[in-house]
Amino acid sequence: MEIKITTNQILKVLQVFSWIIFIGLCVEAGGIAVNTIISLFINPDGVHNFWEGADYLSGLFKSDRGHFAVIAIIMTIVAVLKAILFYLIVKLFVDKKLNIANPFSSALRQFILNIAYLALGIGFFSYYGLHYSEWLTQQGAGIPNLRILNIDGADVWLFMAVILFVIAQIVKRGIEIQNENDLTI
């Protein structure tokens, strides 16, 4: 007995995974933002609510609130950009703009460009966070674990952005060829 998995079934599974990841990223972004605001303006003990990175962040908070705010803002920006990225993916599924019969469309190209710009932004802020954390380490603020702060992988995000820009150009050429074929028929 052979089981055939269709493209529609795969897309439905990917849609479910996209929703799960999107919701998780929204919770993460909201948690970081709320904990930052609480720690800075309401209750300084709120810095201990930063789950795994609490030790590093509480030490940074005690030594300098400004540096803490910069790291927390970078963490928030990266988390929000990731959530927006998955929002666009979820929106693609919900709006049903993905047409398998005519795969090359300006909507698909715009989607890929938006994802590329978001990946570039995530890569940029992750890279800045990496270098800022390294600088803080040189100043004696302790050694942060960027994986715990969720601002690691800048090189991967930048690489992905470049690949997506190339794919967007390929889709643009596909749109041109598709339009030429539509005119000749």
Side-chain angles (χ1 to χ4, degrees):
M1 184 168 150
E2 186 176 325
I3 299 175
K4 289 191 176 188
I5 300 174
T6 65
T7 304
N8 284 337
Q9 291 172 328
I10 292 172
L11 287 174
K12 287 184 191 294
V13 169
L14 290 174
Q15 182 178 10
V16 170
F17 284 147
S18 296
W19 271 105
I20 292 169
I21 293 169
F22 171 64
I23 291 168
L25 289 170
C26 286
V27 169
E28 177 186 356
I32 294 170
V34 168
N35 282 333
T36 300
I37 292 168
I38 288 173
S39 298
L40 287 174
F41 302 113
I42 299 171
N43 181 9
D45 290 331
V47 74
H48 298 293
N49 294 333
F50 278 94
W51 54 102
E52 296 176 43
D55 294 335
Y56 169 70
L57 291 174
S58 63
L60 187 60
F61 184 81
K62 289 175 186 171
S63 66
D64 190 334
R65 283 184 167 199
H67 293 308
F68 167 80
V70 170
I71 290 292
I73 288 169
I74 290 171
M75 289 170 55
T76 303
I77 290 171
V78 168
V80 166
L81 289 175
K82 288 177 185 178
I84 292 170
L85 189 140
F86 270 89
Y87 168 75
L88 292 177
I89 293 171
V90 166
K91 188 173 183 262
L92 179 75
F93 285 119
V94 170
D95 293 347
K96 300 189 187 302
K97 289 186 178 181
L98 189 61
N99 185 359
I100 302 298
N102 273 339
F104 297 108
S105 66
S106 59
L108 177 65
R109 181 174 182 271
Q110 190 60 49
F111 168 76
I112 293 171
L113 282 174
N114 289 341
I115 297 292
Y117 288 126
L118 285 168
L120 187 66
I122 294 167
F124 172 75
F125 283 104
S126 296
Y127 183 79
Y128 180 74
L130 165 75
H131 286 284
Y132 192 78
S133 294
E134 287 175 350
W135 178 79
L136 285 175
T137 302
Q138 291 172 355
Q139 304 302 314
I143 300 172
N145 186 338
L146 297 178
R147 185 192 57 77
I148 290 175
L149 299 179
N150 288 330
I151 56 173
D152 60 338
D155 53 344
V156 175
W157 286 104
L158 294 171
F159 184 70
M160 185 170 94
V162 170
I163 289 173
L164 288 170
F165 282 123
V166 169
I167 291 172
Q169 292 304 311
I170 293 169
V171 169
K172 180 181 177 185
R173 181 65 184 137
I175 292 169
E176 292 169 358
I177 292 171
Q178 189 170 289
N179 288 339
E180 288 174 10
N181 286 343
D182 289 344
L183 292 175
T184 58
I185 293 178

